[in-house]
Amino acid sequence: MFRLQGSKVLAVDMTGDAVKAKNGSMVAYDGQMSFKKLSGGGEGLRGMVTRRLTGEQMTLMEVTGQGTCWFADRASEINLVNLQGDKLYVESSNLLATDSGLRTGTSFTGLRGASQGNGLFTTTVEGHGQAAIMSDGPAVVLRVSRQYPLTVDPGAYIAHQGDLQQSFQSGVTFRTFMGEGGGEAFQIRFEGDGLVYVQPSERNTVAGDV
């Protein structure tokens, strides 16, 4: 069972089950635990090859045992997402941990002005269970409806879920409007019905300042 201790530490109570977590994110544990590094995000050869081709890097470890294990990463804020058979799309750098009921993979997202280190693909998490995602500062969850599409700065985007269509477009952002842009700016547009997670801090992007 996942639970938060404060906003920056994830505690996982384990009874012999397995948890996949970002490699090196364990900060403490009690009881008996074993740790194994997973190649290619835990999906074997196919997953490893896919990630090498796409540039979507995610190194995971599998933790099994009896007791409680605590995870954290660079004092990032942690948010819990409950999945009931649906799929979560998340930037690989923002995924902290998933429980044994969830599967990870990669998904093509189309042409994009992508965040640094990500390509044309993003990480997917699906099934029944809990996932822990990270943000630089407290995450904001924004609702997208069919009447109100949402446009997001790719540097602030973390994840999304629901029946959403995602597209990438060049355009003017607030920074370029104010004369602070450093190159062609991209935006991510979401249409449909679902949730989008954003952070109040922007990562560097390959498309320049946005």
Side-chain angles (χ1 to χ4, degrees), residues 22-51:
K22 185 175 183 179
N23 194 47
S25 63
M26 188 276 295
V27 295
Y29 71 88
D30 62 23
Q32 299 294 322
M33 299 287 170
S34 62
F35 302 87
K36 180 176 68 174
K37 184 177 179 179
L38 299 175
S39 299
E43 299 169 52
L45 181 61
R46 181 180 179 183
M48 181 169 59
V49 171
T50 299
R51 293 182 190 283

Side-chain angles (χ1 to χ4, degrees), residues 4 55 66 127 142-143 153 155 205 208:
L4 294 179
Q66 301 270 352
L142 303 175
R143 165 68 68 177
D153 188 317
T205 63

Side-chain angles (χ1 to χ4, degrees), residues 3-206:
R3 54 187 172 87
L4 294 179
Q5 292 197 212
S7 61
K8 300 180 179 181
V9 178
L10 172 68
V12 182
D13 299 318
M14 303 178 64
T15 57
D17 45 344
V19 170
K20 287 191 288 187
K22 185 175 183 179
N23 194 47
S25 63
M26 188 276 295
V27 295
Y29 71 88
D30 62 23
Q32 299 294 322
M33 299 287 170
S34 62
F35 302 87
K36 180 176 68 174
K37 184 177 179 179
L38 299 175
S39 299
E43 299 169 52
L45 181 61
R46 181 180 179 183
M48 181 169 59
V49 171
T50 299
R51 293 182 190 283
R52 284 181 177 176
L53 290 174
T54 64
E56 176 72 357
Q57 300 296 322
M58 183 176 64
T59 304
L60 296 177
M61 60 180 178
E62 183 181 70
V63 184
T64 57
Q66 301 270 352
T68 301
C69 197
W70 289 268
F71 302 92
D73 186 58
R74 293 175 294 180
S76 298
E77 299 281 337
I78 301 172
N79 308 270
L80 298 183
V81 180
N82 294 308
L83 296 177
Q84 301 295 327
D86 50 329
K87 182 181 293 187
L88 175 72
Y89 298 81
V90 57
E91 298 289 76
S92 61
S93 59
N94 294 101
L95 181 61
L96 178 61
T98 65
D99 69 21
S100 58
L102 298 176
R103 304 178 302 278
T104 57
T106 51
S107 177
F108 180 71
T109 56
L111 298 176
R112 60 188 294 187
S115 301
Q116 186 175 8
N118 302 298
L120 302 178
F121 290 70
T122 194
T123 296
T124 60
V125 181
E126 60 183 316
H128 290 80
Q130 289 181 299
I133 61 176
M134 300 179 293
S135 59
D136 186 2
V140 178
V141 184
L142 303 175
R143 165 68 68 177
V144 181
S145 68
R146 302 194 184 281
Q147 295 79 17
Y148 295 98
L150 179 71
T151 302
V152 176
D153 188 317
Y157 167 78
I158 300 172
H160 72 273
Q161 65 184 126
D163 183 18
L164 292 176
Q165 293 76 51
Q166 183 181 12
S167 60
F168 299 87
Q169 57 191 22
S170 60
V172 177
T173 68
F174 288 113
R175 286 191 179 187
T176 54
F177 180 75
M178 296 299 292
E180 298 177 359
E184 185 178 8
F186 288 84
Q187 300 168 336
I188 310 176
R189 181 179 174 87
F190 293 94
E191 298 178 89
D193 185 15
L195 301 174
V196 177
Y197 300 79
V198 298
Q199 62 185 5
S201 175
E202 298 177 7
R203 63 176 73 83
N204 293 328
T205 63
V206 297

